Amino acid sequence: MFSESIELKTPAQLASLREAGPVVARTLEALRPKVSAGVTTAELDEFCRERLAAEGATTNFLNYHGFPATICISVNDEIVHGIPGSREIATGDLVSLDFGAIVDGWHGDSAITVEVGQASAEVAELNRVTEEALWRGIAAAKIGGKVGDISHAIGSYVKSQAKLSGGRYGITEGFTGHGIGSALHQSPDVPNTGRRGKGAKIVPGMALAIEPMITLGTSRAAILEDEWTAVTTDGTWAAHHEHTITVTETGVWVLTAIDGGARPPAARESRC
Ligand code: MG
Ligand code: MG
């Protein structure tokens, strides 16, 4: 999808990226408890717009190729790129929140998926597997390695979990993670399935958005008439988790983590 060369950031530029990431993290954390029965997705968008202004940041989603909001909100069988509007969130919904910000010209991009009230065991497990797949991908990103190592870690984990559960998970085709930096979407693509040792070499100064989009069934997506919302072709539900990272000689910075990547993933109790 992206043919341009990979943008490598200087240490000073990485420091700027490290400013944008926590703005995204703080906004998503503040948004999470607001995703409750009765709220409209337009109200959630408005909250994000206000938070961006309060943070002194600007939006990288609004007007991106004509996208009409500051956040993508994708509910249930919607995978990604849902447009906020009059839809009311209901108990039991599975809501993916994909959000970004620009600080001093540098971009952050992150997504979480929230279960509203009590989710079914199957849906809760889908959400867990998707988030864990993200962290498996992050953990596979190492200097000297290849982007395919990340793709393989995500894809093989999802497939292993499908086997374990006796069910089926779809790894959405046609959508990938991506390079990020002075623009929201840059080279290289970061697919959610692939082979170890393939793809671009991971080098210092590279920043990547890693974002598994996993369904309870098909890997195929269709785009609604609004020309944005991607839905599963079989109506099964989907989850999406994303972080912006950079890789240094001493480890990964998870730029859109709430601490701006100060703690490596290995230090996260819930991830070990
Ligand atoms: Mg995103
Ligand atoms: Mg992204």
Side-chain angles (χ1 to χ4, degrees):
M1 186 177 174
F2 305 107
S3 55
E4 80 270 27
S5 61
I6 295 170
E7 177 184 78
L8 299 180
K9 288 76 175 170
T10 66
Q13 290 170 336
L14 286 177
S16 296
L17 266 180
R18 215 169 171 172
E19 298 296 316
V23 170
V24 178
R26 284 193 292 269
T27 304
L28 284 173
E29 275 313 297
L31 185 63
R32 185 192 290 271
K34 300 192 177 300
V35 184
S36 56
V39 73
T40 68
T41 52
E43 288 168 338
L44 299 175
D45 179 51
E46 182 59 28
F47 175 80
C48 292
R49 199 177 302 236
E50 288 168 6
R51 282 296 299 232
L52 274 178
E55 293 271 11
T58 54
T59 174
N60 44 10
F61 281 29
L62 181 64
N63 298 326
Y64 180 87
H65 295 286
F67 189 77
T70 57
I71 183 169
C72 299
I73 304 180
S74 307
V75 183
N76 300 342
D77 64 321
E78 299 171 353
I79 308 166
V80 287
H81 303 163
I83 300 174
S86 58
R87 180 175 188 155
E88 281 189 15
I89 298 298
T91 300
D93 279 350
L94 185 66
V95 183
S96 297
L97 307 159
D98 186 357
F99 177 71
I102 309 171
V103 174
D104 294 334
W106 295 91
H107 292 245
D109 186 13
S110 182
I112 59 173
T113 294
V114 176
E115 299 153 27
V116 182
Q118 189 70 42
S120 71
E122 185 184 46
V123 165
E125 180 66 0
L126 167 72
N127 200 16
R128 185 198 70 75
V129 165
T130 307
E131 186 176 11
E132 182 64 23
L134 166 62
W135 286 101
R136 299 283 173 129
I138 291 170
K142 294 190 172 65
I143 297 292
K146 297 285 182 66
V147 167
D149 302 347
I150 301 170
S151 306
H152 174 78
I154 293 170
S156 61
Y157 176 73
V158 172
K159 285 169 197 156
S160 75
Q161 296 305 294
K163 217 175 254 178
L164 265 184
S165 70
R168 182 176 165 206
Y169 291 123
I171 300 172
T172 304
E173 295 168 357
F175 296 91
T176 67
H178 49 92
I180 183 168
S182 62
L184 176 59
H185 292 130
Q186 298 181 326
S187 187
D189 287 349
V190 185
N192 291 315
T193 183
R195 291 173 61 190
R196 268 195 211 113
K198 298 288 181 187
K201 190 171 178 183
I202 299 171
V203 296
M206 189 183 260
L208 301 171
I210 301 175
E211 49 179 317
M213 292 152 264
I214 310 300
T215 81
L216 281 171
T218 185
S219 56
R220 309 207 44 191
I223 308 298
L224 296 185
E225 275 180 10
D226 64 19
E227 297 183 354
W228 281 102
T229 311
V231 297
T232 59
T233 53
D234 61 358
T236 54
W237 289 16
H240 178 208
H241 287 266
E242 177 180 23
H243 273 307
T244 298
I245 69 155
T246 191
V247 188
T248 72
E249 297 288 356
T250 54
V252 179
W253 292 357
V254 184
L255 298 161
T256 46
I258 202 78
D259 59 5
R263 282 186 307 152
R268 293 166 198 275
E269 316 84 293
S270 62
R271 305 287 158 218
C272 296

